Amino acid sequence: MATWGLKSLFSFALEPKLNPFSSKVLFRCIAKDVTVPKPGAGACYRRVVHFPKKYTVEPIPYTRLGGRDPITKRLVAKGIGGGIKFPYHWVDWHRLPPNATEPLVEKVLHIIKDGCRTANIALVASGDRMRYIMATENMKPGDIIKSSNEIPRIPVRVYEGDAHPLGAYPIGTQVCDVEMIPGKGGFLAHGAGTCCTVVRRIGDRVIVQLPSKQELSLQQECMAVAGRMSNVMHNKTPIGSAQKNRELGNRPRSGLWQRKTGRFGRKIRPLPPVRVISSEKPEDPLKISLDVNWT
């Protein structure tokens, strides 16, 4: 029987036990803080898209991550992996540049299903320029859509697919692909079948209600598209089989988590307060220093 030395025994006892969903590396008696990526922080662990320097309507190559961090190679999202590799199309999230002075009129050429997104995308053209945008619910080939960043005194007449600033819409309008900060591109409600509602206007700010019933106070210059996102039946259509779910790139779960039913009742909580979104940088916190002279 082989005998272990004292050094090998200590090294075996202090061998780190890694937990991919924890921020600590656990030893036998001590714990060290390490940098472990966390899901839900804005990073995508499904794919890395290799965007070219110039915009193109051709499919863009990408690398699938399988739920792992691209730098540390740690497993972050367990439910991602495999599946059919769909072509990725570059969507232009800016319907109109912030410094544009004239409206932009475009024609919808055709609408396609993008395997990397839940909503459909539309190929539009104006002059000699073509680009992909997010398609609304009733958008169809041959439609003429308009984009303008003018805020008139009287609210505009709403046509589905047109893009205007939030300050130009009447109260109660359903909008999608909403900007959080003017000029940064569409950020809110661009999933399949989602939309926001213009609730009220306070001064030069517009209160928008999200699909989660939370209200945001946005600047009236934020662009938004009138209507609801396409592919409304996305969350109502069953996947059908486990094999189809694997083709979509979703790995099987453990089966331990189950959604609660109404048997246990529900908690009625008040809605959170209105969240104000501003493009201004927050001020630095006031630093207080105590200068004590002991002499």
Side-chain angles (χ1 to χ4, degrees):
M1 181 176 178
T3 58
W4 286 14
L6 186 61
K7 183 177 180 180
S8 59
L9 283 175
F10 273 103
S11 62
F12 176 79
L14 296 178
E15 183 179 357
K17 301 175 178 59
L18 299 180
N19 185 0
F21 294 96
S22 175
S23 61
K24 293 180 179 298
V25 176
L26 303 179
F27 290 85
R28 184 174 181 179
C29 301
I30 60 175
K32 287 186 176 181
D33 292 330
V34 295
T35 56
V36 179
K38 297 180 180 180
C44 179
Y45 299 102
R46 185 175 291 273
R47 65 182 67 88
V48 173
V49 184
H50 308 294
F51 290 100
K53 295 182 179 180
K54 188 178 180 180
Y55 182 84
T56 178
V57 295
E58 299 295 331
I60 302 176
Y62 61 90
T63 302
R64 292 190 289 182
L65 299 178
R68 295 184 177 272
D69 185 80
I71 300 177
T72 61
K73 308 302 180 183
R74 290 175 179 267
L75 184 63
V76 182
K78 286 189 174 181
I80 299 177
I84 300 176
K85 194 169 184 179
F86 299 96
Y88 187 92
H89 301 88
W90 192 347
V91 172
D92 190 1
W93 300 103
H94 297 82
R95 287 292 298 266
L96 198 64
N99 54 359
T101 57
E102 297 182 358
L104 177 63
V105 179
E106 296 173 305
K107 183 178 181 179
V108 179
L109 300 182
H110 64 269
I111 298 175
I112 64 174
K113 176 70 175 70
D114 190 0
C116 300
R117 294 180 178 86
T118 56
N120 299 333
I121 59 177
L123 180 64
V124 298
S126 175
D128 57 349
R129 180 173 182 252
M130 295 191 302
R131 61 172 180 168
Y132 282 106
I133 63 173
M134 302 301 295
T136 54
E137 181 180 3
N138 299 316
M139 186 179 291
K140 58 185 183 299
D143 290 349
I144 304 298
I145 58 176
K146 176 183 176 182
S147 301
S148 174
N149 53 10
E150 181 185 358
I151 303 178
R153 184 177 59 87
I154 302 176
V156 297
R157 178 175 294 182
V158 179
Y159 294 98
E160 183 180 335
D162 291 352
H164 299 277
L166 287 175
Y169 288 108
I171 303 300
T173 306
Q174 289 186 347
V175 293
C176 60
D177 200 7
V178 185
E179 291 182 342
M180 287 187 66
I181 299 176
K184 296 295 183 181
F187 190 81
L188 302 173
H190 53 73
T194 59
C195 65
C196 299
T197 305
V198 180
V199 179
R200 57 188 178 274
R201 187 179 295 107
I202 301 177
D204 59 347
R205 304 190 69 87
V206 179
I207 309 300
V208 175
Q209 188 181 46
L210 303 182
S212 62
K213 305 303 180 183
Q214 183 182 1
E215 294 182 353
L216 296 181
S217 176
L218 304 176
Q219 302 179 32
Q220 64 177 358
E221 293 81 12
C222 294
M223 296 288 293
V225 181
R228 189 180 179 187
M229 272 296 167
S230 56
N231 197 10
V232 179
M233 299 301 295
H234 171 73
N235 60 340
K236 303 294 190 300
T237 305
I239 296 177
S241 64
Q243 178 62 27
K244 180 62 177 179
N245 201 22
R246 292 306 304 269
E247 292 177 359
L248 296 176
N250 303 322
R251 296 179 60 191
R253 306 302 178 96
S254 63
L256 299 178
W257 182 85
Q258 294 182 0
R259 183 178 297 277
K260 291 183 179 180
T261 60
R263 175 174 176 266
F264 304 98
R266 65 188 182 95
K267 295 181 180 180
I268 301 178
R269 299 185 177 91
L271 293 176
V274 178
R275 180 184 170 192
V276 179
I277 306 298
S278 177
S279 58
E280 299 177 357
K281 295 183 179 179
E283 298 180 358
D284 295 335
L286 180 62
K287 296 182 180 180
I288 301 177
S289 60
L290 299 178
D291 295 334
V292 180
N293 189 4
W294 298 101
T295 58

